[in-house]
Amino acid sequence: MRTFAAVDLGASSGRVMAGRAGPGKLELAAVHRFPNEPVRAGGTLHWDILALYRGVLEGLRRAGPVDGIGIDSWAVDYGLLDATGALLGNPVHYRDARTDGIATMVPEDELYALTGLQKLPFNTIYQLVAAAGTPQLEIARQLLMIPDLIAYWLTGEPGAEATNASTTQLLDVRSGTWATGLMERLGIRPALFPALRRPGETIGRVLPELGLGATDVIAVGSHDTASAVVGVPAASEHFAFVSCGTWSLVGVELDAPVLTEESRLANFTNEGGVDGTIRYLRNVMGLWPLQECLREWGQPGLPDLLRAAAAEPAFGAVVDLDDPGFLPPGDMVRRICRQAGRELEPPAIVRCIVDSLALAHRRAVRQAQELSGRHVDAVHIVGGGARNELLCRLTADACGLPVLAGPVEATALGNVLVQARAAGAIRGDLSALRALLRETQGIVRYEPRGDEAAWRAAERRVGSLTCG
């Protein structure tokens, strides 16, 4: 067995995991966890990228000698470098208000036909349009997505890993190359964007001055959802995935993008996956509203709240988690209660969020099948949401399909699997990697037992709501 370090940076925390892999063997252990706390300065919400990098270095030192390092993170955000390779300020957070009301002046149907991406106000394309004319962007000579920026600091090698590049809405979804014509139309300099690299390619050797040993950094599915989908232990191609954390990414894995007008109007996205696959999915708000409510309440124990929520009446209150009014941080309890139409106690708010999230999963799984033509026999929930028994059970009821929950650390496992295959420690295609997951990881099965008529009625209620 060989050991690989998986650097996994999420929207609220980061971690370094050590994975050991070999024929028929796959183990994972946490080495270091650290917070990811945004900072508001001068009216702008930033990522504290240097604190994250410090956490990464500490984790890699604790991991000790490894046979490879892979880095994944959330999507769409980037750092700008000057002509000397120095970072021009902290990257701006995708939840910052600078993209509010921003449009590209490119017809939406044309943009979708080229990039295949769901319209989301924080996509990189809108961030760059919003930043037009700023001194930083004017003097920048290179743009690196967050995991590529960390890799650059580790190796000195710039580049753009393809799965994360696909989230920028500046990549041609058919050719898999930068959409330079689109960039030029929008006044975005194509020269900012480095050469693309694919999962499994070696980025470079860790710089000697970092004292981490002569270790290669290996490109993985650097968009964390791309790695998470590798970590789905599916037994066939007929599965839906829910990568559930701050966001719920709900969809199916395909060989080619779906670029129909119906797909665009349903706001489905075609993102690049490992081995040339397409992650056909919708972004659903996920556990973000719950996380924000817990923060407002002073971080009470979630297990006790979930037990109390399970005893609350089903559909006592529901909200539309696709409403962009839930996107900004702060004041979440008031917004939930306002859309629900009345004041709610914490257990009822938690039940409202979980019921509403299961409804959102139901809608996205159904639409993914209808729009792609891919029949689904089971729903796999991976990520932190796999720990939430109430959410998993309600998602099975809502979808009328078995839910297979786990692994929780699917992203880190997918990261390790791609590294291990690139290094020759294991072999095989995605189906072989997933077979190894089924052999080595614990998975919990939930059978559907819900009242379909009640779910349909709740879905109709959600359709009439707005966030005040």
Side-chain angles (χ1 to χ4, degrees), residues 225 229 232 239-243 249-253 279-281 380:
T225 309
V229 173
V232 171
F239 70 94
F241 59 82
V242 180
S243 180
L249 295 307
V250 187
V252 293
E253 186 177 69
R279 292 173 287 126
Y280 183 63
L281 59 86
H380 285 263

Side-chain angles (χ1 to χ4, degrees), residues 143-203:
L143 180 152
L144 296 179
M145 305 299 283
I146 296 299
D148 299 321
L149 177 61
I150 300 296
Y152 172 67
W153 283 338
L154 290 176
T155 66
E157 299 291 339
E161 190 279 316
T163 69
N164 211 11
S166 76
T167 72
T168 62
Q169 213 163 9
L170 292 165
L171 197 78
D172 186 319
V173 70
R174 289 190 176 91
S175 67
T177 59
W178 290 120
T180 55
L182 173 63
M183 294 176 187
E184 290 166 349
R185 288 176 64 182
L186 297 174
I188 299 169
R189 286 175 284 135
L192 285 171
F193 297 84
L196 292 161
R197 51 196 174 210
R198 310 290 169 182
E201 294 182 15
T202 298
I203 295 172

Side-chain angles (χ1 to χ4, degrees), residues 218-248:
I218 300 169
V220 297
S222 72
H223 181 201
D224 51 12
T225 309
S227 279
V229 173
V230 174
V232 171
S236 79
E237 64 182 15
H238 296 288
F239 70 94
F241 59 82
V242 180
S243 180
C244 185
T246 300
W247 291 92
S248 272

Side-chain angles (χ1 to χ4, degrees), residues 272-414:
V274 170
D275 290 358
T277 56
I278 294 292
R279 292 173 287 126
Y280 183 63
L281 59 86
R282 283 196 80 229
N283 282 48
V284 174
M285 195 67 73
L287 293 170
W288 164 252
L290 178 57
Q291 292 166 350
E292 281 293 280
C293 288
L294 292 173
R295 187 173 63 81
E296 287 185 49
W297 293 329
Q299 301 295 349
L302 181 57
D304 288 341
L305 266 178
L306 287 171
R307 280 191 288 271
E312 291 285 321
F315 314 124
V318 290
V319 295
D320 180 7
L321 291 181
D322 283 335
D323 193 310
F326 292 125
L327 182 62
D331 202 24
M332 189 65 71
V333 170
R334 183 195 65 81
R335 281 179 278 159
I336 292 288
C337 293
R338 184 178 180 89
Q339 193 179 100
R342 66 181 190 278
E343 294 299 313
L344 300 169
E345 293 299 314
I349 290 175
V350 173
R351 182 58 187 254
C352 170
I353 292 170
V354 177
D355 277 348
S356 302
L357 183 51
L359 280 165
H361 291 167
R362 165 191 169 93
R363 183 166 58 251
V365 168
R366 182 181 65 242
Q367 288 183 313
Q369 294 179 86
E370 293 171 350
L371 294 166
S372 70
R374 173 63 57 84
H375 170 71
V376 166
D377 295 325
V379 178
H380 285 263
I381 296 182
V382 297
R387 289 194 187 99
N388 191 322
E389 180 181 351
L390 180 60
L391 176 61
C392 294
R393 176 166 58 80
L394 292 177
T395 298
D397 294 347
C399 296
L401 291 166
V403 160
L404 299 160
V408 171
E409 299 289 357
T411 300
L413 287 164

